[in-house]
Amino acid sequence: MLKVCSFLPAVTQMLYDMGLQDHLHGITFECPPEALKEKRPVVRCILEGKHYTSEEIDALFSASKHSGKSLYYVDEPLLTEIAPDIIFTQDICDVCQIDTACTAAAVAHLEKQPQLISISPESLDDVFQNAVTIASALGKEEVAYRYLAKLHERIAGVTDSLRRTKALTKRVMLLEWMAPIFNCGHWIPHQIGYAGGVDMLSNPSGDSIVTSWEKILKYDPEIMVVAPCGFTIDRTLEEIHLLTGKKGWGDLKAVQDNKVFVADFDLFTQSSAGTLVDGIELLAAIFHPEALTVPEELSHKFRHFSPQKTKI
């Protein structure tokens, strides 16, 4: 049986979703809890276990990128012991996860050279294709197609409900970071579209970018979703004051109409096909409660934030 290491949580999640986890021997410290109970972390980070603010995290990663030094590292003795046939890595973001260049350096001296497969989606369609790439590398391509067929059925269920109720598109904004504020990019705008919304400050199939507060005030979204990369709901709420303390916060339509939501990051910035479809279903229910309800299994993945409407 081929031995695999997954150097990004999204791939680990999809291996489990497709029932291919027996191939998996090494993961990252950020992989899903189910995997961390069973598999050994090969990829670590010097920030692991530390608690920094959003601003401090942004500064640390910016300094790391400027210096050309990665904050991630590989447990090389463990990797040598595992001797994987395949390592799944990525090149979409050298801030969020270890990249292929760092991985290549770590495996350069291994007696058996593993195949490095970069999983670097830009769009939602790319994410779905990644499932095929992963399964095909293990000789199990048909497993991916069965997995994707079920996910496409779920998306069709959402769009059918929206069409049946003649739901009007909502003007929304999803934030990937709070200090500084980053809009959403890559596949997230596509999730929003399937859910019956449009984020006109987003960057579909491209990188998320710093977005000025003045631009957000002018855009004035009807609904705001805050889901910073890597943050759970509780972690986000620790720093929600970074938004609520801004001048004009109370004037936003989303705030006035009590339509601000906080959600776990993995439904959006973790590019595993199943969790992104979960995200579509959650967003659709948030945007159009008259058409859909939040699936019970996702009720703990978001919180309706009711900020004070005091003008600042």
Side-chain angles (χ1 to χ4, degrees), residues 153-280:
E153 285 179 9
R154 289 169 57 190
I155 293 175
V158 170
T159 55
D160 285 347
S161 293
L162 296 177
R163 186 181 305 111
R164 187 166 54 250
T165 56
K166 300 180 180 180
L168 297 177
T169 301
K170 298 293 185 179
R171 185 178 73 255
V172 307
M173 184 176 189
L174 191 148
L175 278 62
E176 283 194 35
W177 200 248
M178 294 186 290
I181 293 174
F182 274 77
N183 67 354
C184 67
H186 295 116
W187 49 85
I188 298 176
H190 307 144
Q191 289 180 278
I192 291 170
Y194 276 120
V198 60
D199 186 340
M200 297 186 72
L201 296 185
S202 68
N203 191 20
S205 300
D207 294 339
S208 59
I209 58 174
V210 174
T211 303
S212 72
W213 182 244
E214 290 71 23
K215 184 176 289 188
I216 295 170
L217 290 176
K218 186 174 181 180
Y219 175 54
D220 196 20
E222 295 177 88
I223 301 170
M224 180 178 287
V225 180
V226 187
C229 184
F231 278 21
T232 61
I233 295 168
D234 289 340
R235 181 70 180 84
T236 298
L237 291 175
E238 288 180 20
E239 297 190 47
I240 197 71
H241 64 273
L242 295 170
L243 298 176
T244 62
K246 288 187 176 296
K247 184 177 181 180
W249 166 262
D251 296 324
L252 289 171
K253 182 172 178 55
V255 176
Q256 291 288 332
D257 293 346
N258 203 25
K259 294 288 186 179
V260 178
F261 300 88
V262 177
D264 284 339
F265 78 98
D266 58 345
L267 299 184
F268 307 108
T269 54
Q270 178 178 292
S271 59
S272 54
T275 57
L276 296 189
V277 173
D278 287 344
I280 291 170

Side-chain angles (χ1 to χ4, degrees), residues 47 52-66 71 95 177-182 210 231:
L47 304 183
Y52 292 101
T53 67
S54 296
E55 292 166 317
E56 289 170 336
I57 292 170
D58 181 70
L60 285 165
F61 277 109
S62 294
S64 170
K65 192 169 184 177
H66 182 74
L71 297 177
V95 170
W177 200 248
M178 294 186 290
I181 293 174
F182 274 77
V210 174
F231 278 21

Side-chain angles (χ1 to χ4, degrees), residues 7-8 70 74 87-94 97-108 115-120:
F7 282 8
L8 61 163
S70 177
V74 174
I87 297 177
F88 291 107
T89 181
Q90 62 87 40
D91 292 294
I92 197 168
C93 180
D94 55 5
Q97 304 292 333
I98 192 169
D99 60 17
T100 302
C102 289
T103 302
V107 305
Q115 179 185 8
L116 303 185
I117 300 178
S118 178
I119 301 298
S120 303

